[in-house]
Amino acid sequence: MTQLKHDWTLIEIEAIYNLPLPELIFRAQTAHREFHRADEIQGCQLLSIKTGGCPEDCAYCPQSAHYKTAVEREPLLSVEQTLEAARNAKDSGATRFCMGAAWRDVPDSKQFDSVLEMVKGVRSIGLEACCTLGMLKQEQAEKLARAGLTAYNHNLDTSPEFYGEIISTRTYDQRLDTLANVRKAGITVCSGGIIGMGETLSDRYGLLQQLSNQNPHPESVPINQLVRVEGTPLQDEKSLDVFEFVRMIATARILMPSSMVRLSAGRLQLSDEAQAMCFLAGANSIFMGEKLLTTPNPETDRDKNLLDKLGMKLSSTTTH
Ligand code: SAM
Ligand code: DTB
Ligand code: SF4
């Protein structure tokens, strides 16, 4: 049994990322098969429960109030609206439901009480429940844990060095503090990042090092390809070569073999062949449904057809 390792160096990560592709995929597959089924993908469904008008200035984000994008602001959805979406997600084969709010941090108000009700409701439908609500204090994390929250998503996004080019309104250390609060409350950690934002290869190794040197590793690692949204500072960023995405996923899989590695934003830009290569590289989850939070995503029929062609299937069991 492979020992999980929490002291990966940048040199080791660089060496893995740059392996000849067949070797990289072989190592990723070997790591994957020790901990996961090779023919199953977890389907997750996202829902934006509070949209737009966010005070943070994340340069990639269509929901930041700092940029003029086509996203229309919407207040917090009702518990019933949210649970209806969760039931539909379950019917289409998802086993995890992720609720996202464009908040800088979680408000201590009736709104938070509604979120706690949403979490309870999603769990009682029989789905894993994940929230991504911005920065989180310890007592809020504990309330979410008591409501039954499975996972909290808070991405490190990029390396500590490049982070300041992307976000100025909160620090890398604040992100790490939120993750520590989540961990301490006994909620599983979902944390990953985005590539294609103009970062260097070293920044990608730096992100992977930050994630893989946490102990325990984040149970869930979303790897996003930048969705270039008009009106954001990154709208004209150049497109990412698909092999870069594949290498990032494979390296994450090798560094954190027991974690779920999620092929997250950016699938609409990928061909079927490219997505298949991401699965070979060890991605074992996708977001389903025609919308991520605010941007489009492949339709469920297309995804089901792709999995059929590959002889793969959506997993039907929840792990938490
Ligand atoms: N406001 C909360 C926060 O930032 O933690 C939660 C929602 S936020 C939209 C969740 C994550 O979505 C971000 O951390 C970022 O990694 C990802 N994301 C946002 N916009 C994106 C884009 N245009 N392309 C790829 N990923 C994106
Ligand atoms: C993550 O890493 N990716 C998801 C989820 N966690 C919350 C969000 C992607 C958002 C893409 C841009 C949008 O649709 O607004
Ligand atoms: Fe706000 Fe989250 Fe978007 Fe940053 S990523 S602007 S915190 S919604």
Side-chain angles (χ1 to χ4, degrees):
M1 185 76 159
T2 303
Q3 264 314 97
L4 298 181
K5 184 170 141 66
H6 304 273
D7 58 356
W8 294 99
T9 66
L10 289 173
I11 308 275
E12 288 171 321
I13 296 172
E14 178 178 15
I16 294 171
Y17 185 98
N18 292 296
L19 281 170
L21 194 70
E23 185 63 28
L24 179 64
I25 300 283
F26 176 73
R27 287 200 41 193
Q29 275 287 312
T30 308
H32 190 152
R33 283 153 190 264
E34 198 173 322
F35 293 92
H36 311 272
R37 291 185 59 127
D39 61 343
E40 281 192 358
I41 293 286
Q42 183 179 31
C44 308
Q45 173 95 41
L46 280 167
L47 177 69
S48 182
I49 55 171
K50 186 268 168 189
T51 308
C54 181
E56 302 283 306
D57 67 353
C58 311
Y60 47 75
C61 187
Q63 303 199 65
S64 165
H66 296 258
Y67 318 124
K68 210 173 164 320
T69 68
V71 168
E72 292 192 15
R73 297 185 187 192
E74 275 172 50
L76 189 66
L77 297 183
S78 70
V79 175
E80 197 32 57
Q81 282 170 309
T82 303
L83 296 185
E84 193 185 329
R87 285 188 284 268
N88 291 338
K90 187 172 191 202
D91 290 344
S92 61
T95 56
R96 184 167 171 114
F97 190 72
C98 311
M99 294 159 272
W103 282 325
R104 169 182 161 74
D105 43 23
V106 176
D108 281 312
S109 63
K110 280 212 190 93
Q111 299 192 53
F112 186 47
D113 295 336
S114 295
V115 173
L116 295 173
E117 287 309 307
M118 291 173 189
V119 170
K120 285 185 201 149
V122 169
R123 297 295 282 145
S124 68
I125 291 169
L127 292 164
E128 294 177 13
C130 177
C131 279
T132 180
L133 315 169
M135 290 188 282
L136 192 62
K137 293 192 290 252
Q138 190 60 49
E139 34 325 339
Q140 295 171 326
E142 273 150 24
K143 283 187 185 162
L144 286 165
R146 280 198 293 276
L149 189 70
T150 311
Y152 194 83
N153 165 257
H154 200 59
N155 289 341
L156 292 177
D157 278 347
T158 190
S159 68
E161 294 76 23
F162 189 60
Y163 182 89
E165 306 280 313
I166 300 295
I167 300 149
S168 77
T169 47
R170 70 172 156 213
T171 65
Y172 212 79
D173 281 344
Q174 286 175 306
R175 294 225 174 198
L176 291 168
D177 286 347
T178 292
L179 293 181
N181 291 342
V182 171
R183 179 60 77 202
K184 229 165 99 197
I187 300 169
T188 68
V189 170
C190 173
S191 189
I194 309 179
I195 62 171
M197 300 193 293
E199 72 287 341
T200 62
L201 286 176
S202 302
D203 292 317
R204 292 186 197 155
Y205 312 148
L207 166 65
L208 288 168
Q209 186 184 35
Q210 289 289 329
L211 295 169
S212 62
N213 286 359
Q214 297 199 11
N215 192 2
H217 292 154
E219 286 79 0
S220 162
V221 181
I223 305 291
N224 296 277
Q225 171 176 201
L226 175 71
V227 181
R228 290 163 291 176
V229 181
E230 211 180 305
T232 62
L234 298 182
Q235 64 173 18
D236 298 322
E237 210 44 63
K238 61 177 190 318
S239 70
L240 185 78
D241 186 286
V242 57
F243 294 110
E244 307 263 309
F245 205 13
V246 170
R247 285 183 178 279
M248 191 71 187
I249 288 172
T251 310
R253 166 54 66 220
I254 293 165
L255 302 181
M256 296 168 281
S258 69
S259 303
M260 299 296 291
V261 175
R262 304 189 193 273
L263 169 56
S264 302
R267 283 199 305 121
L268 214 48
Q269 290 135 273
L270 297 182
S271 66
D272 284 0
E273 294 84 346
Q275 292 192 62
M277 206 174 302
C278 293
F279 299 147
L280 294 177
N284 58 349
S285 170
I286 55 172
F287 286 118
M288 299 170 60
E290 57 219 43
K291 214 149 80 158
L292 290 163
L293 288 171
T294 66
T295 63
N297 191 48
E299 283 176 20
T300 304
D301 284 350
R302 177 177 161 198
D303 287 340
K304 290 199 166 153
N305 187 260
L306 172 61
L307 291 180
D308 269 354
K309 281 197 286 185
L310 302 179
M312 296 174 75
K313 56 182 183 296
L314 289 171
S315 54
S316 53
T317 48
T318 51
T319 45
H320 294 281

